[in-house]
Amino acid sequence: MLQFLDYFLTYFHTALILFVLSGWIFPQTRRSHALLLILILIAWFGIGVYKGVLGYCPLTDWHWDIKRERGERGMSSSFVEYMVEKISGINFSRKLVDGFTLGGLIMACIMAVVMSFKSRKTKA
């Protein structure tokens, strides 16, 4: 069961990140995308302040608990950093990966707002 959860969370988390980066593109997904962005901002900057970790992700926290139960050690606190290293084999600096991750979130937020205003103008 733990192996299934580990694989499931890897694919689910990756798909969620891709949706965060691209969900603003499609009119049908913009409302879900905006809701997800709000939840992420609450986790990163709300719960993160409480936990003492800006950029806190409850999904990563749960996933890492499962990985530790499976015996994996030495994981980064960042899912993105972990996956970049797994895929590329290169250990990029944490600050670099965090910068790109934050940049992706900022870009997604900006594009969500821009597309929201554009769709309101076309409806008016």
Side-chain angles (χ1 to χ4, degrees), residues 18-102:
L18 293 173
F19 181 68
V20 166
L21 295 173
S22 62
W24 55 269
I25 296 171
F26 311 103
Q28 309 90 307
T29 62
R30 287 184 187 146
R31 185 168 283 167
S32 300
H33 181 257
L35 177 61
L36 180 60
L37 289 176
I38 290 166
L39 293 173
I40 289 169
L41 292 171
I42 290 169
W44 276 29
F45 301 108
I47 300 170
V49 168
Y50 172 75
K51 290 270 196 179
V53 181
L54 285 181
Y56 172 76
C57 176
L59 193 56
T60 300
D61 205 7
W62 181 39
H63 194 178
W64 276 197
D65 286 344
I66 291 166
K67 286 189 164 299
R68 279 189 289 276
E69 282 188 50
R70 293 192 67 217
E72 192 165 340
R73 301 287 183 258
M75 295 151 324
S76 165
S77 60
S78 162
F79 177 78
V80 174
E81 182 183 8
Y82 176 83
M83 289 305 294
V84 165
E85 186 175 338
K86 282 284 188 193
I87 292 168
S88 72
I90 301 169
N91 187 4
F92 291 97
S93 86
R94 173 72 191 265
K95 285 185 178 184
L96 179 67
V97 175
D98 285 352
F100 273 99
T101 303
L102 179 59

